[in-house]
Amino acid sequence: MLHCRSVEDVVAAIKSGDRVVPRGGGHCFVDRSSSGDVVLDLTGLNTIEVRADGVATIGAGALLDQVYDALHAAGRGLPAGCGQTVGIAGLTLGGGIGLIGRKYGLTCDRLIGAQVVLADGSVVECDDDREPDLFWALRGAGGGQFGVVTEFRFATIAEPVMTRIAADWPADELETVVAAWQAWAPDAPDDLTLNLTIDGPRAVLIGASLLPVEPTHALLVEFADLVGTAVPFELSAGMPLSAVKASFGEPATDERPRIRSEFFEQSLSDDVLGELVGGGRLAFTAMGGAYNRIAADATAFAHRNQRFLLETANDRSWAIAHADGSGRVYPNFPDLSLADGPAAYHGENLARLRAVKQAYDPDRFFTFPQAL
Ligand SMILES: Cc1cc2nc3c(=O)[nH]c(=O)nc-3n(C[C@H](O)[C@H](O)[C@H](O)COP(=O)(O)OP(=O)(O)OC[C@H]3O[C@@H](n4cnc5c(N)ncnc54)[C@H](O)[C@@H]3O)c2cc1C
């Protein structure tokens, strides 16, 4: 492993001729950031600067907890994920789904520029005007495909003060909970995100709202009415985004859980639900809102008309749910069992992405199974 502390270190590594793989947080589910001739550990490139106009320049090795903390100190925030040790690089390059994304979009939707070291060792700046095809491709195709990003520039938001939502209750009627969730959460107001995990006999809900407690509670009563129970939501008022994220942050682990997942444009049918629930852990993430108000070809992230994302724990559950799935898979949840990974990850953007790959990395210096 080579520890890079500067852009020059990255350039030198690439020019050495060894096949390098960049590594940010190192959380790739299929080990793409730990299996090359030379792994470039970028965690030394983690400076974060926030300008008065809210533009944040973030080193590609920064981890999400560092990003949230630094932005918090400047009164700013970014729609991004929950894993505290997840890298801003991998997250952004594959999209970036999080608790305020239904209001503010994917992490990559807030990206306004990046510095990239290409396969020939040249350093380019890209944005809407400079290397626009590369900039387009960096927003959602998944990391490690076009070059090593050394720096990201984001248009941040004023850090919101939020209501944290949590509920954990043993439910007799888990199917009813899922049916209510899939009918309600993807269409909830953008201000509120509610995600559901079914784990054994329990339904666990976590979420966040940009509204104060009372209107948040009123919305959650709608959901509880659909379930037909009084759901014991715990609501915590007045928390800055960074505090909400820290409270939900998953502990770092070296384990690589095998995740099989898919996006859904429509609700699961009653038959599929009946077979699916009880067969292993299920995690549902609400999409909709701002995620879907961006054209599918505006960035490389192709999945702009999905209602939710479902993570399953085993092949059997995945096969059952797949009957109602869209065939689309989140590039940040790579799955080596897919029959056609590139089609699932990139949809209608695949042809343009292949053209960008050909233009920027014709010799496929950056590659891995299922790469462009
Ligand atoms: C605990 C946990 C929580 C998570 N929570 C969320 C969540 O809330 N929302 C969400 O959307 N996703 C979430 N994820 C998934 C996460 O987005 C992906 O695992 C992501 O790819 C991890 O990025 P990384 O930088 O940590 O990983 P890495 O393995 O370092 O990188 C991932 C890929 O990007 C490439 N790459 C890394 N750095 C660069 C660079 N500088 N330039 C070019 N390519 C690069 C790598 O080579 C690899 O192919 C979570 C994952 C975990 C483990």
Side-chain angles (χ1 to χ4, degrees), residues 95 217 224 227 348 369:
H217 184 262
V227 179
E348 281 84 45

Side-chain angles (χ1 to χ4, degrees), residues 86-113:
V86 166
I88 190 70
L91 182 92
T92 303
L93 296 170
I97 297 169
L99 289 174
I100 56 171
R102 301 187 65 258
K103 177 82 171 186
Y104 294 108
L106 298 165
T107 312
C108 73
D109 295 336
R110 308 297 301 183
L111 188 68
I112 56 171

Side-chain angles (χ1 to χ4, degrees), residues 21-29 31-34 40 42 60-64 80-99 107 138 142-152 245 250-253 255-257 330-334 368:
V21 293
R23 179 182 173 97
H27 282 295
C28 174
F29 293 156
D31 288 336
R32 286 178 186 156
S33 60
S34 40
L40 297 187
L42 300 170
L63 308 181
L64 290 189
C82 281
Q84 287 173 285
T85 57
V86 166
I88 190 70
L91 182 92
T92 303
L93 296 170
I97 297 169
L99 289 174
T107 312
L138 291 183
Q145 314 242 33
F146 306 102
V148 179
V149 180
T150 44
E151 201 170 83
F152 296 93
K245 289 292 181 177
E250 295 167 49
T253 156
E255 277 179 32
R256 292 276 180 277
Y330 181 27
N332 269 342
F333 288 5
F368 48 77

Side-chain angles (χ1 to χ4, degrees), residues 82 99-100 160-168 191-195 204-214 216-217 220 232-250:
C82 281
L99 289 174
I100 56 171
V161 174
M162 308 183 63
T163 300
R164 180 188 192 273
I165 304 168
D168 178 354
D191 284 329
L192 188 149
T193 294
L194 189 64
N195 296 333
V204 178
L205 286 150
I206 66 162
S209 162
L210 294 153
L211 305 170
V213 165
E214 282 187 9
T216 299
H217 184 262
L220 292 171
F233 281 106
E234 269 177 44
L235 301 184
S236 312
M239 293 176 72
L241 172 67
S242 51
V244 173
K245 289 292 181 177
S247 76
F248 284 135
E250 295 167 49

Side-chain angles (χ1 to χ4, degrees), residues 270-286:
D270 291 347
D271 286 352
V272 165
L273 260 188
E275 253 193 290
L276 187 63
V277 173
R281 185 176 182 276
L282 303 169
F284 296 84
T285 298

Side-chain angles (χ1 to χ4, degrees), residues 97 99 174-175 177-179 181-183 185-186 193-199 204-206 262 264 266-268 272-273 276-277 280-287 307-312 321 333:
I97 297 169
L99 289 174
L174 290 174
E175 279 173 55
V177 178
V178 176
W181 182 90
Q182 65 177 356
T193 294
L194 189 64
N195 296 333
L196 168 68
T197 301
I198 301 291
D199 208 354
V204 178
L205 286 150
I206 66 162
E262 193 163 341
F264 291 74
Q266 57 180 21
S267 289
L268 299 165
V272 165
L273 260 188
L276 187 63
V277 173
R281 185 176 182 276
L282 303 169
F284 296 84
T285 298
M287 301 297 289
R307 288 180 64 75
F308 60 89
L309 171 65
L310 171 59
E311 292 166 53
T312 60
F333 288 5

Side-chain angles (χ1 to χ4, degrees), residues 63-75:
L63 308 181
L64 290 189
D65 57 352
Q66 297 167 339
V67 171
Y68 287 122
D69 287 351
L71 294 184
H72 171 73

